Every structure is written in C-alpha cells, then in structure tokens.
Amino acid sequence: MILTNRFSKQFFSFALMFSILFSGQNIGHAEDQYTKDLIPTMTSHSSPEGIASASSENQEQQKYFAYLAFDDTTIPDGFDVWASLTTSNEWLQFEFTSKKQIQKYTLEPKNYAHSGSPTDGMSQAPKDWQFQAWNGADWIVLDSQSGITDWVPGTKKEFMFNNSNSYNKYRIFITANNGGWAISLGQMEMMEKINSTPDPDPEPIPTGDNALLVIKMISGLEKEFELTASEVQDFIDWYNDRADGRGKETYMFDKDFNKGPFTARKDYVAFSKIQSFEVMEYTK
C-alpha cells in the first residue's frame, strides 16, 4: 500500500496494518439496489446498439415492432408497443453487445383503451411467462410468473430474481395473455444488481490508533479521510444502521486539515452513492 504524500514527512511504526473491505453495500440487511435500465433507448431494431427481436410482430399500419417495447416511451395511441400475431407462446428478446448479469426486469402494459374495448391494453398484457437467458446452447429459465392479471395502464411491474451468471441474450417467453386478440407490451427494462449477498461473518472492529478510510463511490470517484479509530467506528456504526434502514442518508466528515481561509470544511457522503470502502489501520 502506498500512502499519500501527506504521510511521507511523518515516521510511523507500522506495528499493525491490515485492510477491512466492504463492497457493494453488503453489510446488514440493506435492500437490494439495481442499476438503471441497461437497454438503450432503441430507435430501430439495432440502433443505437444491441438487437431487439420478437417471435412475431403484428405490423398493422407499420407499427407494433419489437424495438418499440425498448424505446422508453408509452404514448397512449395504441401503436407505440410491441404486439404479436398470436395469443400464446410468443417471445420478446434483447441482445446486448456485451454480457450482463441481469437480476431484475420491469414490464409495462400497452397504455391504450377505446370505447369498443376499454381494457384493450390489459387484456393483451402477459399472464403467464418465463424470463430466460441464452447460454449458447439452451434457454435458461431465470424467473417464472403465472396468473398475473392486475395490470394498470401506465404502471410498470418489477420482477427480481437471483442470477449468478452473465449472458448477452435475454427474453420473455409468454405462454398466455389475459384474453386479448394479441400479446402486447408497452415497455420492458432490464437491470443488474449493485449490491452483493450479505456477508454472514461479523465485520472486524478497528484496532489501530489511526486509519486511512478510502470510500469508492458508485460514480467511480474515490474519497480519502484520515481518521482516528473511534471516528472509523462511528462511520461503520452509521453505515450498519443505514443498511438496516435507520439513521440519516448522509454522513458528515469534519475535514480539519488544509482549511485555508475557511473556519471549517465538511464533506457529506450519501449512503446510496457508496459502492465500497476500505479501512487501512496503522499505529504511530
């Protein structure tokens, strides 16, 4: 470990130095967090990247294409959706340009109703389906749903599942809809999980006199703080409490060095923005 320049003019006896690594907000019982939708806003079946496809497309009035379920809009005109030719055993697929470890997807029904069929979009929404991934030889079932009838126009449903592998092709294979003349979907999204499985082992307790705390943010930015052992413990206690849903969203560090003309300098770190942190302890 190479310490920063502000340590170079000091002489330390490194009687104790080890790392405690917390990664992906995996302490306690924090709720799982996910990325934003990884499918880009599609303007055609292959633009701007990836490939949208379906088992069939009901191309009435040159609409109902597969990519319209990935264009991030749900215009209530009845056409800005994917719709199939039949009412069962149809699929909608997206192929990424690189492998993704998808563990969540969302579905939004067709946002349309007319006087002749006021529940048009809801009757066409999927009722029974499997969410699948292609491993190069077979379609692997990652999630199964059945009897889903409570669709609401303009409202998406979220589905989470465990998946330890990465694939570049994912699809929803729909075996039945809710009685409409076709299967349709207004929008579909796919996400990766940010945090990992909670660590079953209790976290170590800092024992050194001082420590360098390095926090890696989800944005990629790293923040460094020189703290005493008690200050590190205060931070860990806050982090654990926040992971359990208690306490404030942000933690305040009092930066009492390099104040310059200021009477005080404070740095605020949001729990939801932390990807991992590392504690490197030392004894003077």
Side-chain angles (χ1 to χ4, degrees):
M1 174 65 190
I2 300 176
L3 300 180
T4 55
N5 290 335
R6 56 178 174 270
F7 289 100
S8 61
K9 296 183 180 179
Q10 303 180 50
F11 297 92
F12 298 131
S13 171
F14 290 92
L16 175 63
M17 183 172 182
F18 58 90
S19 296
I20 308 171
L21 180 62
F22 299 85
S23 180
Q25 300 193 10
N26 59 355
I27 300 176
H29 306 287
E31 292 185 2
D32 291 335
Q33 297 186 30
Y34 298 86
T35 64
K36 63 181 181 180
D37 182 21
L38 297 180
I39 300 174
T41 300
M42 300 298 289
T43 56
S44 73
H45 286 97
S46 57
S47 295
E49 65 178 28
I51 301 174
S53 59
S55 51
S56 69
E57 296 172 319
N58 192 320
Q59 298 182 14
E60 177 184 343
Q61 301 185 37
Q62 293 299 302
K63 299 290 184 179
Y64 302 133
F65 297 116
Y67 80 88
L68 293 173
F70 307 115
D71 67 351
D72 294 330
T73 62
T74 52
I75 301 172
D77 63 358
F79 296 112
D80 186 44
V81 301
W82 165 68
S84 66
L85 289 170
T86 68
T87 59
S88 63
N89 298 325
E90 297 275 5
W91 51 262
L92 175 66
Q93 174 183 302
F94 191 81
E95 179 178 351
F96 293 96
T97 56
S98 60
K99 291 185 177 181
K100 310 292 183 185
Q101 190 177 346
I102 300 301
Q103 297 190 67
K104 174 182 176 179
Y105 63 98
T106 71
L107 302 175
E108 186 172 336
K110 175 181 177 180
N111 187 17
Y112 179 71
H114 56 81
S115 58
S117 181
T119 60
D120 188 43
M122 307 309 99
S123 65
Q124 295 173 22
K127 180 181 180 182
D128 306 323
W129 71 84
Q130 293 179 343
F131 186 79
Q132 304 173 333
W134 178 250
N135 68 0
D138 300 293
W139 286 102
I140 308 300
V141 177
L142 300 177
D143 180 58
S144 296
Q145 300 291 330
S146 61
I148 307 300
T149 60
D150 56 340
W151 296 95
V152 177
T155 302
K156 68 178 65 172
K157 288 184 178 292
E158 300 181 341
F159 303 92
M160 285 76 75
F161 54 90
N162 292 323
N163 172 28
S164 58
N165 298 307
S166 296
Y167 310 93
N168 66 338
K169 290 183 183 180
Y170 293 87
R171 74 178 186 180
I172 180 172
F173 184 82
I174 304 164
T175 54
N177 70 356
N178 281 278
W181 60 267
I183 296 173
S184 70
L185 276 174
Q187 288 296 298
M188 183 175 185
E189 300 174 318
M190 301 182 195
M191 297 85 164
E192 289 182 322
K193 186 183 291 187
I194 294 176
N195 61 317
S196 59
T197 305
D199 188 347
D201 298 323
E203 68 273 11
I205 298 175
T207 57
D209 295 336
N210 297 84
L212 178 66
L213 173 65
V214 181
I215 302 176
K216 184 174 182 180
M217 313 302 289
I218 293 176
S219 65
L221 177 69
E222 287 192 354
K223 293 177 175 285
E224 291 187 0
F225 302 95
E226 298 172 47
L227 305 173
T228 65
S230 62
E231 289 172 331
V232 171
Q233 188 60 57
D234 288 342
F235 172 79
I236 293 176
D237 289 344
W238 165 79
Y239 190 95
N240 286 336
D241 286 344
R242 190 58 193 160
D244 286 331
R246 303 187 301 270
K248 296 181 178 180
E249 165 65 13
T250 58
Y251 188 87
M252 187 271 289
F253 291 94
D254 190 357
K255 303 175 73 171
D256 57 0
F257 54 88
N258 296 334
K259 288 183 179 178
F262 308 107
T263 58
R265 292 179 64 213
K266 302 182 186 298
D267 196 346
Y268 294 84
V269 177
F271 174 83
S272 60
K273 303 299 183 182
I274 297 175
Q275 177 175 313
S276 64
F277 67 85
E278 188 175 11
V279 178
M280 284 154 283
E281 302 176 31
Y282 59 86
T283 301
K284 290 185 179 181

